[in-house]
Amino acid sequence: MLAGDKEGKEETEEDSDVDEDEDEEDDGDEDDDDDTEVKEENGVLILTDNNYDTFMEGKDTVLVEFYAPWCGHCKQFAPEYEKIAQTLKENDPPIPVAKVDATKASSLASKFEVSGYPTIKILKNGEAVDYDGERTEKAIVARVQEVAHPDWKPPPEATLVLTKDNFDETVNEADIILVEFYAPWCGHCKQLAPEYEKAAKELSQRSPPIPLAKVDATVESEIASRFGVTGYPTLKIFRKGKVFDYNGPREKYGIVDHMSEQAGPPSKQVQAVKQVQELIKDGDDAVIVGVFSSEQDAAYEIYIEACNALREDFTFRHTFTPEVAKLLKASLGQIVIVQPEKFRSKYEPASRTLTMKDSTSVSEVEEFFKKHVIPLVGHRKPSNDAKRYTKRPLVVVYYGVDFSFDYRKATQFWRSKVLEVAKDFPEYAFAIADEEDFADELKSLGLSESGEEVNVGILGEGGKKFAMEPEELDAEVLRDFVVAFKKGKVKPIIKSQPVPKNKGPVKVVVGKTFDQIVMDSKKDVLIEFYAPWCGHCKKLEPDYLNLAKKYKGEKNLVIAKMDTTANDVPNENYKVEGFPTIYFAPSDSKQSPVKFEGGDRTVEGLSKFLEKHATTLSQKRDEL
């Protein structure tokens, strides 16, 4: 296998942008593609959008490489590919070997869902067979000869196809099954498809096998609606019909590892007292242990079901051993949450206990976990932030947090000051955080150059951020800041460009004007979040401008854009995870904007989307 094999397969959106931009710029150089003649270079045939169909007529097996002229892995692979062409030319019968410049032949690249370079496909009667083996002459020739054999048939898909006729029966009977809800037009779904199928193949060979399935949500809309599917691809885990969110990776090895772990029990059994003692003494997270008589205990079954629902967020343990129960001061049928020693304080109990009764529901157990797993003042880290510290407002005290032996005393000195304040504000969450772990966050609060050993910020509702003026910290200083915040006297910190004059048809939104323009409850707003370097955004610009001109007579409709590299989006309901991201914010539903997904980013496509969700249009516009 060539060095850096995997890296050669992975392309970012920016890479795609380069391709598209090159494609647009190179329009004048495509004279070679104007006819159906197939040229040859060092024994390799050159296929284009124009000559492909004619060439493929009557061909049984053809080997094709999709490449980009700038791709280093492609250049490295070229001599090996030429040797393959020579070997297959001497095959009986000869097998054609071709290459496609995917930056020029965009129709072919799109047809075969090429997302990285080089991509190798074996075409059998025009149908693509993916090749993901070693990029060597021996391996590729052997695979091509195998596919070229007259008796060869493509193996059946390992991924199950679910419809309304078999969905309920399949998911209700499976101990565990992963289901992908997809749309045929969705680019991310196409990208996931080969990885998902490879994972399905591997997991089908496990003992016992772990099935993977897919549902075309555009056809099976009732099923998609039942499980709250609003975007694609959406993956869900089902256990005997009960549904759980899938939050794992989306490539073959990640899916295999994640589902193998998910197929195991959600709670580990502990038999030795020492195991629990060590977790309490040196652990970083709350220790959750259920105490039961046996696996047949009805309370144990409820506990396990609750653990399954939250297994990605917590580590669960259970015991049937009296010695462990005695250490935890627990009786049979009780669940105990114990905070590690480092997070204990005189303001809160060291442990919490839930006694399970016949009437105790799974949701009550889940709520018990969520409510008591975080100490009064815990240690917020990048690894636990999304799982533990989602409550807002969250008061964060940043300094050099280090619980190792030499620094524990200093770490606890500052934490003790935070505890004094946290005990009086149960409606807020409090945490300490290492300033290096959250350097970007400190910078966004304007505190990275404060000169203080300890800094304080509050992460508020709706993505708003508040900073305490740099001052030497003690409990009273912190208390004064929290009280001022509670009374609404602290202004949010928002990264923003200067407020523009806004004379054009597309309104430019900056951090300071987001609430004023986008959240205006009298107007519908279509907003594009973009980055200046993004090729897709540049391509969209003329269409977006024409769209704004088309609707310029609509007084209660705003077409807007915002450079999110230079401005904060001060509302967490408007998540930006790629460029461009487009939302429609209806006048009557500003906190639930509708994301533009899957349609054409053209005047026509955006008009359809806009008119579908508009609440204030005076009339529908069918033409410019």
Side-chain angles (χ1 to χ4, degrees):
M1 190 174 287
L2 293 179
D5 199 11
K6 280 193 176 176
E7 289 88 328
K9 279 261 182 185
E10 299 202 355
E11 295 294 321
T12 63
E13 188 154 293
E14 293 94 302
D15 290 326
S16 304
D17 290 338
V18 170
D19 298 352
E20 288 189 16
D21 292 343
E22 283 183 359
D23 197 18
E24 289 163 11
E25 288 164 15
D26 289 351
D27 284 346
D29 298 329
E30 294 189 359
D31 297 336
D32 293 346
D33 297 347
D34 288 341
D35 52 53
T36 54
E37 182 191 353
V38 177
K39 297 187 175 178
E40 188 179 299
E41 187 176 276
N42 299 330
V44 179
L45 303 167
I46 300 170
L47 297 184
T48 66
D49 284 341
N50 292 331
N51 66 17
Y52 173 81
D53 289 335
T54 311
F55 173 77
M56 287 301 295
E57 281 175 19
K59 300 282 192 307
D60 178 86
T61 308
V62 180
L63 177 65
V64 181
E65 176 208 5
F66 292 86
Y67 73 96
W70 46 259
C71 160
H73 293 298
C74 305
K75 291 172 185 173
Q76 199 177 353
F77 179 52
E80 192 77 1
Y81 198 62
E82 287 163 10
K83 282 197 272 179
I84 292 166
Q86 186 57 42
T87 302
L88 290 175
K89 195 174 187 177
E90 293 163 6
N91 192 71
D92 185 20
I95 297 169
V97 174
K99 64 182 178 180
V100 174
D101 179 348
T103 68
K104 286 188 177 181
S106 52
S107 296
L108 285 177
S110 174
K111 176 180 177 176
F112 291 106
E113 296 166 10
V114 174
S115 60
Y117 309 114
T119 290
I120 297 167
K121 305 256 183 197
I122 303 166
L123 303 183
K124 179 77 172 177
N125 297 316
E127 293 297 315
V129 178
D130 287 334
Y131 178 81
D132 57 2
E134 291 188 9
R135 291 193 200 134
T136 62
E137 179 190 358
K138 184 180 177 184
I140 292 173
V141 166
R143 179 65 174 146
V144 173
Q145 287 173 333
E146 181 190 345
V147 172
H149 194 278
D151 297 333
W152 183 86
K153 285 187 176 64
E157 269 198 341
T159 306
L160 306 175
V161 177
L162 300 185
T163 66
K164 62 180 183 300
D165 300 325
N166 64 353
F167 182 89
D168 288 328
E169 182 187 355
T170 305
V171 301
N172 290 340
E173 286 181 5
D175 288 328
I176 185 169
I177 183 170
L178 178 62
V179 179
E180 177 206 2
F181 294 87
Y182 73 96
W185 45 256
C186 158
H188 291 299
C189 304
K190 290 173 182 174
Q191 210 170 350
L192 172 64
E195 297 295 313
Y196 197 72
E197 173 62 17
K198 288 175 207 166
K201 231 172 247 174
E202 182 151 332
L203 288 167
S204 69
Q205 290 157 15
R206 294 284 168 106
S207 183
I210 301 169
L212 266 59
K214 62 183 178 183
V215 174
D216 182 344
T218 64
V219 175
E220 307 297 342
S221 54
E222 185 276 322
I223 300 174
S225 169
R226 204 194 324 165
F227 295 104
V229 174
T230 56
Y232 309 112
T234 292
L235 285 85
K236 304 262 183 196
I237 295 170
F238 290 83
R239 293 183 173 91
K240 293 290 184 187
K242 289 191 169 62
V243 64
F244 305 90
D245 287 337
Y246 173 90
N247 298 313
R250 297 195 173 195
E251 43 76 34
K252 175 192 169 183
Y253 297 106
I255 295 169
V256 167
D257 290 347
H258 190 79
M259 288 306 296
S260 300
E261 190 274 323
Q262 289 287 317
S267 174
K268 294 185 173 73
Q269 184 180 349
V270 284
Q271 294 174 298
V273 168
K274 192 179 177 187
Q275 277 178 281
V276 181
Q277 285 173 327
E278 285 174 356
L279 288 166
I280 294 169
K281 187 172 184 297
D282 301 314
D284 279 329
D285 202 4
V287 182
I288 305 172
V289 185
V291 179
F292 307 101
S293 57
S294 71
E295 288 187 2
Q296 282 66 52
D297 192 331
Y300 172 77
E301 290 180 17
I302 299 276
Y303 176 73
I304 290 298
E305 194 172 329
C307 294
N308 257 328
L310 297 170
R311 64 188 293 159
E312 303 212 11
D313 297 341
F314 303 92
T315 301
F316 297 106
R317 295 174 177 84
H318 61 272
T319 188
F320 309 123
T321 310
E323 290 79 12
V324 175
K326 187 179 175 185
L327 171 74
L328 296 169
K329 298 176 183 161
S331 311
L332 294 177
Q334 288 189 323
I335 303 167
V336 183
I337 298 179
V338 187
Q339 289 297 339
E341 287 178 4
K342 68 170 86 163
F343 293 132
R344 294 185 184 177
S345 76
K346 60 185 177 184
Y347 306 115
E348 61 198 307
S351 66
R352 312 267 185 175
T353 303
L354 175 70
T355 303
M356 297 182 71
K357 303 169 186 155
D358 292 342
S359 61
T360 303
S361 66
V362 172
S363 61
E364 283 176 72
V365 179
E366 289 176 26
E367 282 309 307
F368 172 70
F369 295 151
K370 292 173 186 173
K371 187 176 179 182
H372 298 300
V373 76
I374 304 173
L376 186 56
V377 177
H379 181 191
R380 177 175 173 245
K381 298 182 281 190
S383 59
N384 69 10
D385 186 27
K387 295 177 180 179
R388 296 284 184 273
Y389 293 100
T390 54
K391 182 181 172 181
R392 298 292 184 265
L394 171 65
V395 182
V396 187
V397 180
Y398 306 88
Y399 60 101
V401 176
D402 187 343
F403 281 99
S404 63
F405 182 77
D406 290 342
Y407 301 99
R408 183 175 292 209
K409 193 173 178 182
T411 292
Q412 292 289 27
F413 172 79
W414 293 114
R415 182 172 168 269
S416 66
K417 294 186 183 300
V418 185
L419 281 161
E420 284 181 53
V421 180
K423 68 179 171 52
D424 297 327
F425 294 91
E427 68 272 37
Y428 298 164
F430 285 77
I432 56 172
D434 185 70
E435 58 194 6
E436 289 187 12
D437 284 344
F438 291 92
D440 288 344
E441 190 169 278
L442 265 177
K443 188 177 179 184
S444 73
L445 285 161
L447 295 173
S448 53
E449 305 291 330
S450 74
E452 289 294 337
E453 186 180 351
V454 182
N455 290 287
V456 182
I458 296 179
L459 308 181
E461 302 282 358
K464 288 187 167 62
K465 297 176 292 217
F466 304 82
M468 188 179 87
E469 284 294 323
E471 188 176 347
E472 190 172 337
L473 189 82
D474 63 29
E476 285 316 303
V477 167
L478 179 59
R479 185 183 303 279
D480 289 346
F481 174 59
V482 176
V483 168
F485 169 78
K486 191 173 182 178
K487 289 180 177 176
K489 291 182 177 178
V490 183
K491 287 188 177 177
I493 303 288
I494 298 172
K495 181 170 79 169
S496 178
Q497 291 173 302
V499 177
K501 290 185 178 173
N502 264 330
K503 291 182 178 173
V506 177
K507 270 205 173 173
V508 176
V509 176
V510 296
K512 289 176 187 171
T513 61
F514 184 90
D515 284 349
Q516 177 194 336
I517 297 174
V518 181
M519 306 306 284
D520 183 349
S521 60
K522 294 190 185 76
K523 295 183 178 179
D524 286 344
V525 180
L526 183 76
I527 181 158
E528 175 209 359
F529 297 103
Y530 73 95
W533 45 257
C534 159
H536 291 301
C537 305
K538 290 173 188 169
K539 191 175 177 185
L540 170 63
E541 202 168 344
D543 276 329
Y544 202 68
L545 179 61
N546 286 332
L547 182 79
K549 288 177 181 174
K550 176 179 177 179
Y551 292 98
K552 68 181 177 185
E554 294 289 342
K555 290 182 182 176
N556 294 318
L557 173 67
V558 175
I559 311 285
K561 66 178 183 179
M562 183 181 195
D563 175 0
T564 42
T565 66
N567 298 278
D568 281 341
V569 181
N571 190 307
E572 57 195 13
N573 294 313
Y574 295 75
K575 285 191 172 66
V576 180
E577 291 164 345
F579 300 110
T581 293
I582 299 170
Y583 281 102
F584 186 81
S587 61
D588 57 358
S589 186
K590 294 294 180 180
Q591 298 300 338
S592 303
V594 185
K595 191 175 182 182
F596 179 80
E597 289 183 296
D600 291 329
R601 288 193 294 243
T602 58
V603 174
E604 186 186 357
L606 290 165
S607 296
K608 280 182 189 170
F609 172 70
L610 187 153
E611 296 196 359
K612 180 181 177 184
H613 299 288
T615 67
T616 62
L617 281 189
S618 58
Q619 62 187 72
K620 304 289 184 191
R621 309 278 182 116
D622 293 327
E623 54 190 52
L624 277 167

